[in-house]
Amino acid sequence: MTDSALKDLQRIPGVGSSMAAGLLSLGIHSVTALRGQDPQRLYDRLCQQQGRPVDRCVLYVFRCAVYFAENTVHDPEQLKWWHWKDRS
């Protein structure tokens, strides 16, 4: 893990050092690398890597992270990870 990759990923709202490390373990080394990613696939791969289900909130953060990476202008509400929760 490089410090610069961790710092870049932590620019994403809701992404701290632990979440950034998870993204690095999935091969995501920058915010721009999230463009075009499928948050569900990232989440499923992380669960598989860890050999157990991961807290569902991680999926919501991944959704927010992809939104952040794919847009230059951000709706402040969509930068809150809980905005990306599953709708029932």
Side-chain angles (χ1 to χ4, degrees), residues 22-23 25-26 37-60 62-63 86:
L23 287 166
S25 77
L26 294 170
Q37 294 288 331
D38 179 336
Q40 183 68 53
R41 284 189 182 180
L42 291 172
Y43 175 77
D44 291 343
R45 285 178 45 217
L46 188 63
C47 291
Q48 185 177 30
Q49 262 185 10
Q50 295 194 6
R52 61 180 173 75
V54 175
D55 189 311
R56 191 107 177 125
C57 293
V58 172
L59 172 60
Y60 311 150
F62 285 175
R63 289 172 180 168
D86 296 324

mmCIF file of all heavy atoms in Angstrom, residues 22-23 25-26 37-60 62-63 86:
data_model
loop_
_atom_site.group_PDB
_atom_site.id
_atom_site.type_symbol
_atom_site.label_atom_id
_atom_site.label_comp_id
_atom_site.label_asym_id
_atom_site.label_seq_id
_atom_site.Cartn_x
_atom_site.Cartn_y
_atom_site.Cartn_z
ATOM 1 N N GLY A 22 -9.346 -1.608 1.951
ATOM 2 C CA GLY A 22 -10.197 -2.585 1.279
ATOM 3 C C GLY A 22 -10.224 -2.369 -0.217
ATOM 4 O O GLY A 22 -10.154 -3.320 -1.001
ATOM 5 N N LEU A 23 -10.321 -1.104 -0.640
ATOM 6 C CA LEU A 23 -10.304 -0.805 -2.072
ATOM 7 C C LEU A 23 -8.960 -1.189 -2.690
ATOM 8 O O LEU A 23 -8.914 -1.767 -3.784
ATOM 9 C CB LEU A 23 -10.605 0.679 -2.310
ATOM 10 C CG LEU A 23 -12.058 1.083 -2.085
ATOM 11 C CD1 LEU A 23 -12.191 2.601 -1.997
ATOM 12 C CD2 LEU A 23 -12.952 0.539 -3.195
ATOM 13 N N SER A 25 -7.012 -3.545 -1.718
ATOM 14 C CA SER A 25 -6.961 -5.009 -1.813
ATOM 15 C C SER A 25 -7.730 -5.528 -3.023
ATOM 16 O O SER A 25 -7.485 -6.639 -3.495
ATOM 17 C CB SER A 25 -7.493 -5.651 -0.528
ATOM 18 O OG SER A 25 -8.902 -5.601 -0.470
ATOM 19 N N LEU A 26 -8.652 -4.702 -3.536
ATOM 20 C CA LEU A 26 -9.431 -5.064 -4.726
ATOM 21 C C LEU A 26 -8.770 -4.566 -6.009
ATOM 22 O O LEU A 26 -9.316 -4.709 -7.099
ATOM 23 C CB LEU A 26 -10.842 -4.484 -4.619
ATOM 24 C CG LEU A 26 -11.702 -5.059 -3.495
ATOM 25 C CD1 LEU A 26 -12.975 -4.242 -3.332
ATOM 26 C CD2 LEU A 26 -12.023 -6.520 -3.749
ATOM 27 N N GLN A 37 -16.678 1.173 -12.456
ATOM 28 C CA GLN A 37 -16.735 -0.025 -11.614
ATOM 29 C C GLN A 37 -18.175 -0.303 -11.184
ATOM 30 O O GLN A 37 -18.975 0.619 -11.034
ATOM 31 C CB GLN A 37 -15.848 0.149 -10.379
ATOM 32 C CG GLN A 37 -14.372 0.236 -10.679
ATOM 33 C CD GLN A 37 -13.782 -1.086 -11.107
ATOM 34 O OE1 GLN A 37 -14.248 -2.162 -10.713
ATOM 35 N NE2 GLN A 37 -12.759 -1.024 -11.931
ATOM 36 N N ASP A 38 -18.468 -1.548 -10.950
ATOM 37 C CA ASP A 38 -19.770 -1.976 -10.443
ATOM 38 C C ASP A 38 -19.641 -2.146 -8.929
ATOM 39 O O ASP A 38 -18.939 -3.063 -8.464
ATOM 40 C CB ASP A 38 -20.163 -3.300 -11.105
ATOM 41 C CG ASP A 38 -21.495 -3.837 -10.634
ATOM 42 O OD1 ASP A 38 -21.940 -3.486 -9.514
ATOM 43 O OD2 ASP A 38 -22.096 -4.628 -11.368
ATOM 44 N N PRO A 39 -20.278 -1.266 -8.138
ATOM 45 C CA PRO A 39 -20.143 -1.358 -6.686
ATOM 46 C C PRO A 39 -20.533 -2.728 -6.119
ATOM 47 O O PRO A 39 -19.889 -3.216 -5.190
ATOM 48 C CB PRO A 39 -21.084 -0.272 -6.166
ATOM 49 C CG PRO A 39 -21.228 0.688 -7.297
ATOM 50 C CD PRO A 39 -21.124 -0.142 -8.536
ATOM 51 N N GLN A 40 -21.556 -3.348 -6.681
ATOM 52 C CA GLN A 40 -21.979 -4.666 -6.198
ATOM 53 C C GLN A 40 -20.881 -5.698 -6.421
ATOM 54 O O GLN A 40 -20.606 -6.526 -5.556
ATOM 55 C CB GLN A 40 -23.276 -5.108 -6.884
ATOM 56 C CG GLN A 40 -23.818 -6.426 -6.378
ATOM 57 C CD GLN A 40 -24.321 -6.374 -4.949
ATOM 58 O OE1 GLN A 40 -25.131 -5.534 -4.608
ATOM 59 N NE2 GLN A 40 -23.835 -7.271 -4.104
ATOM 60 N N ARG A 41 -20.244 -5.651 -7.579
ATOM 61 C CA ARG A 41 -19.153 -6.606 -7.854
ATOM 62 C C ARG A 41 -17.974 -6.371 -6.919
ATOM 63 O O ARG A 41 -17.353 -7.329 -6.456
ATOM 64 C CB ARG A 41 -18.698 -6.509 -9.303
ATOM 65 C CG ARG A 41 -19.652 -7.148 -10.247
ATOM 66 C CD ARG A 41 -19.078 -7.230 -11.622
ATOM 67 N NE ARG A 41 -20.059 -7.818 -12.512
ATOM 68 C CZ ARG A 41 -19.860 -8.017 -13.785
ATOM 69 N NH1 ARG A 41 -18.724 -7.665 -14.343
ATOM 70 N NH2 ARG A 41 -20.801 -8.564 -14.527
ATOM 71 N N LEU A 42 -17.652 -5.105 -6.654
ATOM 72 C CA LEU A 42 -16.574 -4.802 -5.712
ATOM 73 C C LEU A 42 -16.910 -5.384 -4.337
ATOM 74 O O LEU A 42 -16.065 -6.020 -3.696
ATOM 75 C CB LEU A 42 -16.350 -3.291 -5.603
ATOM 76 C CG LEU A 42 -15.772 -2.594 -6.826
ATOM 77 C CD1 LEU A 42 -15.801 -1.077 -6.632
ATOM 78 C CD2 LEU A 42 -14.350 -3.068 -7.103
ATOM 79 N N TYR A 43 -18.137 -5.171 -3.904
ATOM 80 C CA TYR A 43 -18.581 -5.677 -2.609
ATOM 81 C C TYR A 43 -18.514 -7.210 -2.568
ATOM 82 O O TYR A 43 -18.003 -7.795 -1.610
ATOM 83 C CB TYR A 43 -20.003 -5.186 -2.328
ATOM 84 C CG TYR A 43 -20.602 -5.755 -1.072
ATOM 85 C CD1 TYR A 43 -20.239 -5.267 0.174
ATOM 86 C CD2 TYR A 43 -21.543 -6.778 -1.133
ATOM 87 C CE1 TYR A 43 -20.792 -5.797 1.336
ATOM 88 C CE2 TYR A 43 -22.098 -7.309 0.016
ATOM 89 C CZ TYR A 43 -21.714 -6.813 1.244
ATOM 90 O OH TYR A 43 -22.264 -7.335 2.389
ATOM 91 N N ASP A 44 -19.019 -7.856 -3.606
ATOM 92 C CA ASP A 44 -19.006 -9.319 -3.658
ATOM 93 C C ASP A 44 -17.576 -9.855 -3.627
ATOM 94 O O ASP A 44 -17.293 -10.846 -2.950
ATOM 95 C CB ASP A 44 -19.724 -9.823 -4.913
ATOM 96 C CG ASP A 44 -21.228 -9.571 -4.875
ATOM 97 O OD1 ASP A 44 -21.788 -9.301 -3.782
ATOM 98 O OD2 ASP A 44 -21.849 -9.616 -5.964
ATOM 99 N N ARG A 45 -16.672 -9.204 -4.355
ATOM 100 C CA ARG A 45 -15.265 -9.622 -4.349
ATOM 101 C C ARG A 45 -14.640 -9.449 -2.970
ATOM 102 O O ARG A 45 -13.865 -10.302 -2.529
ATOM 103 C CB ARG A 45 -14.465 -8.838 -5.395
ATOM 104 C CG ARG A 45 -14.726 -9.294 -6.820
ATOM 105 C CD ARG A 45 -13.978 -8.495 -7.875
ATOM 106 N NE ARG A 45 -12.600 -8.255 -7.531
ATOM 107 C CZ ARG A 45 -11.941 -7.123 -7.809
ATOM 108 N NH1 ARG A 45 -12.543 -6.132 -8.452
ATOM 109 N NH2 ARG A 45 -10.683 -6.971 -7.469
ATOM 110 N N LEU A 46 -14.980 -8.363 -2.277
ATOM 111 C CA LEU A 46 -14.446 -8.142 -0.940
ATOM 112 C C LEU A 46 -14.940 -9.216 0.021
ATOM 113 O O LEU A 46 -14.171 -9.749 0.825
ATOM 114 C CB LEU A 46 -14.816 -6.744 -0.439
ATOM 115 C CG LEU A 46 -14.159 -6.319 0.870
ATOM 116 C CD1 LEU A 46 -12.640 -6.238 0.730
ATOM 117 C CD2 LEU A 46 -14.711 -4.973 1.321
ATOM 118 N N CYS A 47 -16.216 -9.561 -0.074
ATOM 119 C CA CYS A 47 -16.771 -10.640 0.759
ATOM 120 C C CYS A 47 -16.038 -11.949 0.478
ATOM 121 O O CYS A 47 -15.690 -12.693 1.409
ATOM 122 C CB CYS A 47 -18.264 -10.816 0.505
ATOM 123 S SG CYS A 47 -19.292 -9.456 1.105
ATOM 124 N N GLN A 48 -15.801 -12.209 -0.793
ATOM 125 C CA GLN A 48 -15.103 -13.440 -1.178
ATOM 126 C C GLN A 48 -13.673 -13.431 -0.647
ATOM 127 O O GLN A 48 -13.203 -14.434 -0.099
ATOM 128 C CB GLN A 48 -15.107 -13.590 -2.697
ATOM 129 C CG GLN A 48 -14.514 -14.888 -3.188
ATOM 130 C CD GLN A 48 -14.604 -15.019 -4.695
ATOM 131 O OE1 GLN A 48 -14.583 -14.047 -5.417
ATOM 132 N NE2 GLN A 48 -14.687 -16.249 -5.167
ATOM 133 N N GLN A 49 -12.988 -12.303 -0.786
ATOM 134 C CA GLN A 49 -11.617 -12.177 -0.276
ATOM 135 C C GLN A 49 -11.549 -12.449 1.214
ATOM 136 O O GLN A 49 -10.625 -13.096 1.691
ATOM 137 C CB GLN A 49 -11.100 -10.748 -0.505
ATOM 138 C CG GLN A 49 -10.253 -10.534 -1.698
ATOM 139 C CD GLN A 49 -9.705 -9.105 -1.731
ATOM 140 O OE1 GLN A 49 -9.826 -8.348 -0.770
ATOM 141 N NE2 GLN A 49 -9.126 -8.748 -2.843
ATOM 142 N N GLN A 50 -12.510 -11.917 1.947
ATOM 143 C CA GLN A 50 -12.492 -12.042 3.405
ATOM 144 C C GLN A 50 -13.106 -13.350 3.887
ATOM 145 O O GLN A 50 -13.046 -13.663 5.071
ATOM 146 C CB GLN A 50 -13.176 -10.834 4.036
ATOM 147 C CG GLN A 50 -12.391 -9.564 3.740
ATOM 148 C CD GLN A 50 -12.816 -8.390 4.591
ATOM 149 O OE1 GLN A 50 -13.637 -8.506 5.498
ATOM 150 N NE2 GLN A 50 -12.250 -7.244 4.290
ATOM 151 N N GLY A 51 -13.717 -14.085 2.972
ATOM 152 C CA GLY A 51 -14.267 -15.385 3.319
ATOM 153 C C GLY A 51 -15.494 -15.326 4.215
ATOM 154 O O GLY A 51 -15.814 -16.306 4.897
ATOM 155 N N ARG A 52 -16.149 -14.173 4.212
ATOM 156 C CA ARG A 52 -17.341 -14.004 5.047
ATOM 157 C C ARG A 52 -18.111 -12.793 4.537
ATOM 158 O O ARG A 52 -17.552 -11.947 3.848
ATOM 159 C CB ARG A 52 -16.968 -13.794 6.503
ATOM 160 C CG ARG A 52 -16.123 -12.556 6.728
ATOM 161 C CD ARG A 52 -15.758 -12.355 8.200
ATOM 162 N NE ARG A 52 -14.820 -11.269 8.361
ATOM 163 C CZ ARG A 52 -15.114 -9.973 8.277
ATOM 164 N NH1 ARG A 52 -16.340 -9.590 8.017
ATOM 165 N NH2 ARG A 52 -14.196 -9.048 8.440
ATOM 166 N N PRO A 53 -19.390 -12.691 4.900
ATOM 167 C CA PRO A 53 -20.137 -11.496 4.519
ATOM 168 C C PRO A 53 -19.536 -10.251 5.205
ATOM 169 O O PRO A 53 -19.151 -10.313 6.368
ATOM 170 C CB PRO A 53 -21.547 -11.753 5.034
ATOM 171 C CG PRO A 53 -21.624 -13.231 5.223
ATOM 172 C CD PRO A 53 -20.231 -13.675 5.573
ATOM 173 N N VAL A 54 -19.457 -9.175 4.462
ATOM 174 C CA VAL A 54 -18.965 -7.900 4.975
ATOM 175 C C VAL A 54 -20.186 -7.029 5.248
ATOM 176 O O VAL A 54 -21.210 -7.165 4.576
ATOM 177 C CB VAL A 54 -18.033 -7.242 3.932
ATOM 178 C CG1 VAL A 54 -17.580 -5.868 4.361
ATOM 179 C CG2 VAL A 54 -16.831 -8.135 3.653
ATOM 180 N N ASP A 55 -20.095 -6.174 6.230
ATOM 181 C CA ASP A 55 -21.193 -5.268 6.559
ATOM 182 C C ASP A 55 -21.740 -4.623 5.284
ATOM 183 O O ASP A 55 -20.982 -4.125 4.455
ATOM 184 C CB ASP A 55 -20.686 -4.188 7.517
ATOM 185 C CG ASP A 55 -21.799 -3.331 8.085
ATOM 186 O OD1 ASP A 55 -22.650 -2.846 7.306
ATOM 187 O OD2 ASP A 55 -21.815 -3.134 9.308
ATOM 188 N N ARG A 56 -23.035 -4.637 5.135
ATOM 189 C CA ARG A 56 -23.699 -4.109 3.933
ATOM 190 C C ARG A 56 -23.407 -2.623 3.724
ATOM 191 O O ARG A 56 -23.455 -2.130 2.600
ATOM 192 C CB ARG A 56 -25.205 -4.329 4.048
ATOM 193 C CG ARG A 56 -25.949 -4.074 2.768
ATOM 194 C CD ARG A 56 -26.391 -5.360 2.152
ATOM 195 N NE ARG A 56 -27.173 -5.069 0.962
ATOM 196 C CZ ARG A 56 -26.888 -5.574 -0.218
ATOM 197 N NH1 ARG A 56 -25.869 -6.384 -0.372
ATOM 198 N NH2 ARG A 56 -27.632 -5.297 -1.258
ATOM 199 N N CYS A 57 -23.075 -1.899 4.778
ATOM 200 C CA CYS A 57 -22.744 -0.479 4.647
ATOM 201 C C CYS A 57 -21.543 -0.260 3.730
ATOM 202 O O CYS A 57 -21.419 0.795 3.102
ATOM 203 C CB CYS A 57 -22.470 0.131 6.010
ATOM 204 S SG CYS A 57 -23.927 0.187 7.065
ATOM 205 N N VAL A 58 -20.674 -1.257 3.635
ATOM 206 C CA VAL A 58 -19.528 -1.153 2.734
ATOM 207 C C VAL A 58 -20.018 -1.014 1.295
ATOM 208 O O VAL A 58 -19.474 -0.223 0.523
ATOM 209 C CB VAL A 58 -18.579 -2.361 2.901
ATOM 210 C CG1 VAL A 58 -17.491 -2.363 1.842
ATOM 211 C CG2 VAL A 58 -17.985 -2.367 4.303
ATOM 212 N N LEU A 59 -21.055 -1.740 0.934
ATOM 213 C CA LEU A 59 -21.634 -1.608 -0.405
ATOM 214 C C LEU A 59 -22.115 -0.186 -0.634
ATOM 215 O O LEU A 59 -21.896 0.384 -1.702
ATOM 216 C CB LEU A 59 -22.790 -2.593 -0.595
ATOM 217 C CG LEU A 59 -23.614 -2.426 -1.880
ATOM 218 C CD1 LEU A 59 -22.742 -2.600 -3.123
ATOM 219 C CD2 LEU A 59 -24.783 -3.390 -1.877
ATOM 220 N N TYR A 60 -22.741 0.405 0.361
ATOM 221 C CA TYR A 60 -23.252 1.767 0.211
ATOM 222 C C TYR A 60 -22.110 2.759 0.022
ATOM 223 O O TYR A 60 -22.214 3.690 -0.784
ATOM 224 C CB TYR A 60 -24.102 2.167 1.416
ATOM 225 C CG TYR A 60 -25.151 1.147 1.799
ATOM 226 C CD1 TYR A 60 -25.548 1.017 3.117
ATOM 227 C CD2 TYR A 60 -25.744 0.307 0.856
ATOM 228 C CE1 TYR A 60 -26.518 0.091 3.491
ATOM 229 C CE2 TYR A 60 -26.700 -0.622 1.222
ATOM 230 C CZ TYR A 60 -27.082 -0.732 2.532
ATOM 231 O OH TYR A 60 -28.027 -1.658 2.889
ATOM 232 N N PHE A 62 -19.228 1.978 -1.342
ATOM 233 C CA PHE A 62 -18.728 1.725 -2.697
ATOM 234 C C PHE A 62 -19.594 2.439 -3.734
ATOM 235 O O PHE A 62 -19.091 2.994 -4.707
ATOM 236 C CB PHE A 62 -18.670 0.228 -2.997
ATOM 237 C CG PHE A 62 -17.545 -0.515 -2.331
ATOM 238 C CD1 PHE A 62 -17.455 -1.889 -2.437
ATOM 239 C CD2 PHE A 62 -16.572 0.138 -1.590
ATOM 240 C CE1 PHE A 62 -16.422 -2.598 -1.838
ATOM 241 C CE2 PHE A 62 -15.526 -0.556 -0.978
ATOM 242 C CZ PHE A 62 -15.457 -1.934 -1.106
ATOM 243 N N ARG A 63 -20.913 2.422 -3.536
ATOM 244 C CA ARG A 63 -21.809 3.132 -4.461
ATOM 245 C C ARG A 63 -21.503 4.628 -4.457
ATOM 246 O O ARG A 63 -21.437 5.262 -5.509
ATOM 247 C CB ARG A 63 -23.263 2.903 -4.065
ATOM 248 C CG ARG A 63 -23.757 1.497 -4.330
ATOM 249 C CD ARG A 63 -25.142 1.283 -3.748
ATOM 250 N NE ARG A 63 -25.641 -0.065 -3.997
ATOM 251 C CZ ARG A 63 -26.703 -0.581 -3.411
ATOM 252 N NH1 ARG A 63 -27.397 0.132 -2.529
ATOM 253 N NH2 ARG A 63 -27.092 -1.807 -3.687
ATOM 254 N N ASP A 86 -30.009 0.480 0.234
ATOM 255 C CA ASP A 86 -31.033 -0.215 -0.556
ATOM 256 C C ASP A 86 -32.394 0.391 -0.239
ATOM 257 O O ASP A 86 -32.696 0.687 0.910
ATOM 258 C CB ASP A 86 -31.050 -1.703 -0.230
ATOM 259 C CG ASP A 86 -29.755 -2.390 -0.615
ATOM 260 O OD1 ASP A 86 -29.158 -2.014 -1.644
ATOM 261 O OD2 ASP A 86 -29.348 -3.303 0.122
#
